[in-house]
Amino acid sequence: KKRVLVVEDDPVLTRVLRDNLTFEGFEVQTVADGSLAQTVARDFAPDLVLLDVNLPGQSGLELCQAWRQRSQVPIILLTAMGQKADKIHGLRLGADDYVTKPFDLEELLARIHAVLRRTRPV
């Protein structure tokens, strides 16, 4: 089973993502605080991280940059920040994809599978 870490502070969205990813066959761990995300990631060893940008504790952009410096774990930023400059900044910091909220769940799942195909072949 591929492991997905969801770093998101909205409890409703977290539940929707967890339930749908579990249904898709993923093992899912969630964390709502940016400060705890690195510890959870170290213990869980995800195959992919879904990462919100605006988090309590530490921002998703800071986490993305920190993870990229020491890991090749695929990161999909999931955020309400939809300006072109925001997207470019997130991708330059090392995100593998950038999805803006609100998003279509089927499209997000397709993007997750696409990133995993490229980065974590079976």
Side-chain angles (χ1 to χ4, degrees):
K1 266 189 172 181
K2 298 279 188 193
R3 299 167 151 227
V4 176
L5 175 62
V6 177
V7 186
E8 169 62 59
D9 64 337
D10 177 337
V12 174
L13 180 54
T14 298
R15 188 174 359 17
V16 167
L17 290 169
R18 185 189 62 230
D19 292 351
N20 281 280
L21 288 166
T22 301
F23 182 77
E24 284 281 312
F26 292 103
E27 187 176 336
V28 182
Q29 179 79 1
T30 64
V31 60
D33 186 296
S35 320
L36 303 173
Q38 291 194 62
T39 304
V40 173
R42 198 169 22 256
D43 296 341
F44 183 60
D47 293 295
L48 182 136
V49 178
L50 281 181
L51 182 59
D52 187 14
V53 169
N54 294 316
L55 293 165
Q58 191 173 12
S59 87
L61 293 176
E62 291 169 326
L63 285 168
C64 181
Q65 189 172 31
W67 275 323
R68 195 47 72 230
Q69 289 173 356
R70 68 175 188 288
S71 166
Q72 288 303 307
V73 65
I75 298 168
I76 297 178
L77 290 174
L78 195 58
T79 175
M81 297 171 61
Q83 297 296 316
K84 180 172 80 169
D86 297 322
K87 294 176 185 180
I88 290 169
H89 185 59
L91 292 167
R92 284 188 175 153
L93 286 177
D96 295 277
D97 203 350
Y98 193 108
V99 177
T100 55
K101 299 175 189 174
F103 56 87
D104 179 83
L105 187 59
E106 280 184 84
E107 180 184 347
L108 176 63
L109 291 171
R111 287 174 178 274
I112 289 169
H113 286 291
V115 168
L116 285 170
R117 264 195 315 275
R118 283 194 313 274
T119 59
R120 298 280 200 261
V122 181

